[in-house]
Amino acid sequence: MIVLRAAAIVALTMIGNGAPDVRRDTGEPLDLSGYVQTFVDDFQRPPAFYHPTLAPKGRWKTNFAFGEQNPAIPGAEQTRTLAGNAELQYYGDPLAGTGSFEWKPGQLTIVARANDGKQAERFGGQPYRSGLITTERSFEQKYGYFEAELTLPVGQGLWSAFWLLPRFQPGLDPQPAQEVDVLENIGRDGEFYATVHHDDPAAPNRKRSDLARISVPSVATRHAYGVLITPETISWYFDRRRVRTVANKDFDRPAYLLVNLAVGGTWPGAPGTETRFPARLVIHRIRAFALRGDKRG
C-alpha cells in the first residue's frame, strides 16, 4: 500500500485501474500440512493496543513506523496518515478516545468517521478519522502463510488493506521496496487487488509493482484473504483457494502485518455523496503459519 523512505512520507508507486483482471477460479486448496501456527488473534478478548508509555507491551500498534513516534511532540500526526497518497484520514489512537475502533468478542472493527470542523483540528486537519493496526512491535516472519478473515465496507473512497512490510529503522536504514499487499479493495464489491512490490533500479523510486484484480463474491461478507510466501513463489488465496501465483523476486526479509481502512487517496478518489459513514471494516481473525522446523525467520 505504501512506500516510505527515511523519515519522509512519499507516494507509493501509484496503481491504476489497468491491472490485469484475474477471475476467481477454483484453484488448488491451501495445504498447511507440515506448518505450525506462529501467530493468532481472534479478538475473543479486548485488543492489546500498544502505546509508547501507557502500554509498551501492547500487541497492536496504531501508527506507522516512520516519523516522530512520541504523540506529545509536534509532527507525530504525520505517522497517522499517508499524505503522499493524498489520503484524507487520520488513524486514531484508541487509547485517546478517537472512536476509531469498536470491539466485541470475536470482532475488532475499524471505524471510519467524518470529522466536523473542531474534530478535524484535533485529528491532523483531516476530514475523516479511521484506524490502522500493525504488529511492528510484536511479530514478524519471513516465509509462511499469512491470513486475515475480514468483512469489508463498500463505497466510493474507502480503501481497505491487509499487507506485509519488512522492518526498517527510519533515518538509519533505507525503506525497502519490498511489500506484499495480500488484499486491497477500493470500495467496490466483488473484487480485490493482489500485489507484490519489488526492487527495480530502472523503475521510479526503485520500485516495481506487480498487481492483479481478483474477481470474487461479495467482499461485504466474511472471507479469508491469505498469502503463502516461499523463497521461490508468492501465492494469494481467497477462502483458502489459490487465486494467483508469481515468482518471489526479492521478498526475503522478516515482515510485520498491517490492516487498515484508508479514506480517499489518488487511487480510490474522495468519498462520494452515497458513501455512508461511519464505515466499518470488521476483523474476525488474523493468523500466521510457518513450516515446522523452518529456521529462516
Side-chain angles (χ1 to χ4, degrees), residues 115-129:
N115 292 329
D116 61 28
K118 291 184 178 180
Q119 290 170 330
E121 291 180 9
R122 179 186 174 193
F123 299 122
Q126 298 283 30
Y128 302 91
R129 65 190 186 276

Side-chain angles (χ1 to χ4, degrees), residues 1-274:
M1 185 176 183
I2 65 167
V3 168
L4 310 168
R5 295 191 181 276
I9 306 173
V10 298
L12 270 178
T13 302
M14 287 302 173
I15 302 173
N17 293 329
D21 181 62
V22 180
R23 295 185 179 182
R24 182 185 178 227
D25 59 29
T26 54
E28 291 295 321
L30 178 67
D31 181 7
L32 288 179
S33 59
Y35 281 77
V36 294
Q37 185 170 272
T38 53
F39 179 92
V40 62
D41 200 333
D42 58 8
F43 302 103
Q44 292 298 328
R45 296 181 178 182
F49 290 116
Y50 166 86
H51 187 279
T53 56
L54 300 177
K57 295 183 179 180
R59 166 177 275 190
W60 295 108
K61 192 166 180 278
T62 59
N63 64 318
F64 290 114
F66 60 89
E68 177 54 58
Q69 297 294 301
N70 186 338
I73 296 178
E77 69 278 359
Q78 294 181 5
T79 71
R80 295 185 174 276
T81 191
L82 287 175
N85 283 348
E87 295 174 16
L88 301 176
Q89 85 291 324
Y90 174 97
Y91 289 130
D93 179 354
L95 301 183
T98 59
S100 298
F101 297 91
E102 297 172 343
W103 173 81
K104 66 180 181 180
Q107 292 184 6
L108 174 64
T109 301
I110 297 176
V111 185
R113 304 179 187 273
N115 292 329
D116 61 28
K118 291 184 178 180
Q119 290 170 330
E121 291 180 9
R122 179 186 174 193
F123 299 122
Q126 298 283 30
Y128 302 91
R129 65 190 186 276
S130 187
L132 158 78
I133 59 172
T134 92
T135 63
E136 179 208 332
R137 304 283 301 192
S138 60
F139 175 80
E140 61 180 15
Q141 184 172 296
K142 185 189 299 184
Y143 300 125
Y145 180 68
F146 308 86
E147 180 181 82
E149 296 174 45
L150 308 170
T151 300
L152 307 183
V154 174
Q156 169 69 36
L158 301 177
W159 187 356
S160 302
F162 168 44
W163 42 310
L164 287 75
L165 274 181
R167 185 186 300 277
F168 76 109
Q169 294 180 283
L172 299 176
D173 300 333
Q175 163 66 42
Q178 293 77 14
E179 175 186 326
V180 172
D181 296 317
V182 188
L183 148 83
E184 288 184 282
N185 175 273
I186 53 173
R188 301 171 185 164
D189 204 358
E191 67 176 34
F192 74 94
Y193 288 82
T195 309
V196 60
H197 308 271
H198 58 87
D199 186 65
D200 183 349
N205 295 322
R206 297 182 60 90
K207 178 169 183 155
R208 183 72 63 185
S209 301
D210 180 355
L211 76 161
R213 183 172 56 245
I214 312 295
S215 297
V216 297
S218 177
V219 299
T221 56
R222 179 175 178 171
H223 292 287
Y225 301 87
V227 68
L228 179 63
I229 301 175
T230 74
E232 296 76 30
T233 60
I234 300 175
S235 297
W236 287 260
Y237 288 81
F238 178 79
D239 288 340
R240 297 203 167 186
R241 290 276 179 174
R242 191 178 66 222
V243 293
R244 187 183 192 218
T245 297
V246 300
N248 184 351
K249 296 183 178 180
D250 60 4
F251 200 86
D252 56 6
R253 294 173 55 178
Y256 58 94
L257 314 177
L258 307 91
V259 179
N260 65 284
L261 174 56
V263 181
T266 305
W267 186 19
T273 56
E274 296 182 357

